[in-house]
């Protein structure tokens, strides 16, 4: 499917994509201007609901409003399977989940996503992620940027977590030196993050065996709970073969919160992980004098 622009209204029960529901082929230079809305359930996406092994979505743009009654509203796809490609795509549309969560690009990626941007306004009642919620062990994300603010401060009881780049990197259990999976390279958050229980500028949970290089947060982070400039936890594997590496990353946004482990870069760092050539430039403020805070790692 190539060189197509669509407009109008798509409404249905769940698992909606403006262009296709399930993509096994190639979608190239396609733009959605229309509204995509689930009427009763969840999973509404700007381009495709699911993209399968061998498929690709290239040079596509969503400018339409994406509305999910439950679970996730996503700018490009709900899920991209292993062996799929999403490249040079942009979300500019407004993303709204009336009961739970939104993601700027995708909920779950097990393939490759690179050169993609989120610029659309995001509204939710719980979790919001600037780019991708979950990256599987086979995933590779590179040159992706979030420009949108993540803000739940207008809610009476804000909850959930707000994360600039990704929420969770799934733990690697078996090392594969031949694979380029389990890597996040040159990805950035520029949006301000405000008003939730858990706030993180970069990646909330960096689990065992991942390599994160050249990533950053420049947005200010302010909430009433946990807050870290880049990551809540940098976990390690069980041996040097599953070493977790965070390299050449930084935070320059100011960080403030009221919980344990308020830090300019990371809340915790575990054995068999390495932080190399990283830094924090932001001020760190905790409103509770009895709890831990730190300029770099709490």
């Amino acid at each position: 499917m190539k060189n197509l622009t669509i407009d109008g209204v798509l409404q249905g029960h769940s698992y909606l994509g403006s262009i296709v529901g399930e993509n096994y082929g190639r979608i190239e230079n396609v733009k959605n201007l229309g509204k995509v809305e689930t009427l009763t359930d969840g999973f509404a996406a700007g381009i495709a609901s699911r993209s399968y092994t061998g498929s690709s979505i290239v040079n596509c743009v969503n400018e339409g409003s994406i509305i999910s009654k439950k679970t996730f509203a996503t700018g490009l796809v709900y899920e991209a399977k292993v062996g799929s490609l999403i490249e040079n795509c942009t979300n500019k549309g407004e993303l709204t989940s009336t009961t739970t969560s939104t993601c700027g690009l995708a909920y779950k990626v097990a393939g490759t996503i690179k050169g993609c941007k989120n610029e659309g306004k995001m509204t939710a009642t719980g979790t919001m992620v600037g780019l991708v919620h979950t990256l599987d062990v086979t995933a590779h994300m590179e040159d992706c940027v979030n420009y949108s603010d993540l803000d739940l401060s207008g809610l009476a009881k804000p909850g959930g977590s707000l994360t600039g780049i990704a929420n969770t990197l799934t733990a690697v259990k078996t090392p594969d030196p031949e694979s380029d999976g389990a890597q996040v390279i040159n990805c950035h958050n520029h949006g301000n993050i405000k008003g939730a229980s858990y706030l993180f500028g970069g990646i909330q949970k960096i689990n065992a065996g991942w390599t994160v290089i050249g990533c950053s947060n420049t947005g200010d982070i302010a909430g009433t709970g946990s807050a870290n400039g880049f990551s809540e936890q940098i976990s390690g594997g069980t041996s040097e073969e599953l070493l977790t590496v965070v390299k050449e990353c930084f935070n320059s946004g100011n960080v403030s919160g009221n919980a344990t482990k308020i830090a300019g870069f990371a809340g915790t760092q575990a054995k068999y992980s390495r932080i190399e050539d990283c830094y924090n430039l932001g001020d760190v403020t905790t409103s509770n004098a009895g709890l831990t805070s730190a300029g770099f790692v709490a």
Side-chain angles (χ1 to χ4, degrees), residues 17-18 40 95 188 215 235 242 254 257 259 276:
S18 72
T40 58
L95 309 176
H188 309 282
C215 299
S235 300
L242 286 174
N254 296 324
E276 180 179 347

Side-chain angles (χ1 to χ4, degrees), residues 110-132:
T112 297
I113 181 167
K114 59 183 180 179
C116 295
K117 298 182 292 184
N118 175 47
E119 300 173 355
K121 180 181 178 181
M122 300 171 66
T123 303
T125 59
T127 298
M128 288 199 291
V129 183
L131 297 177
V132 178

Side-chain angles (χ1 to χ4, degrees), residues 73-282:
T74 58
L76 299 179
V77 302
Y78 158 63
E79 183 179 12
K81 301 285 190 177
V82 60
S84 64
L85 172 66
I86 303 173
E87 186 173 13
N88 295 335
C89 296
T90 301
N91 174 61
K92 297 181 180 181
E94 183 171 352
L95 309 176
T96 303
S97 176
T98 58
T99 57
T100 50
S101 312
T102 56
C103 299
L105 302 181
Y107 167 68
K108 186 175 183 179
V109 172
T112 297
I113 181 167
K114 59 183 180 179
C116 295
K117 298 182 292 184
N118 175 47
E119 300 173 355
K121 180 181 178 181
M122 300 171 66
T123 303
T125 59
T127 298
M128 288 199 291
V129 183
L131 297 177
V132 178
H133 184 279
T134 301
L135 292 166
D136 210 346
V137 296
T138 52
H140 179 97
M141 184 162 74
E142 186 169 357
D143 297 333
C144 294
V145 185
N146 173 58
Y147 293 98
S148 301
D149 292 339
L150 310 179
D151 189 352
L152 293 179
S153 61
L155 300 179
K157 295 182 178 180
S161 61
L162 304 180
T163 314
I165 295 173
N167 183 280
T168 302
L169 310 184
T170 305
V172 178
K173 297 182 179 179
T174 303
D176 183 1
E178 303 299 319
S179 172
D180 65 352
Q183 294 182 349
V184 179
I185 299 173
N186 194 34
C187 293
H188 309 282
N189 173 60
H190 297 306
N192 295 317
I193 300 176
K194 184 178 180 181
S197 301
Y198 305 94
L199 305 96
F200 313 101
I203 302 166
Q204 180 173 354
K205 297 179 181 180
I206 303 174
N207 284 311
W210 278 79
T211 299
V212 179
I213 301 175
C215 299
S216 71
N217 170 64
T218 61
D220 289 335
I221 300 169
T224 58
S226 296
N228 298 121
F230 192 78
S231 179
E232 177 188 28
Q233 64 180 50
I234 300 172
S235 300
T238 55
S239 68
E240 289 287 345
E241 290 184 330
L242 286 174
L243 186 72
T244 303
V245 177
V246 179
K247 183 177 180 180
E248 298 169 6
C249 297
F250 71 89
N251 169 62
S252 63
N254 296 324
V255 180
S256 63
N258 183 20
T260 59
K261 303 171 185 174
I262 308 298
F265 193 80
T268 61
Q269 181 191 9
K271 185 179 180 181
Y272 294 120
S273 68
R274 184 172 74 238
I275 300 175
E276 180 179 347
D277 295 331
C278 298
Y279 60 90
N280 168 55
L281 296 177

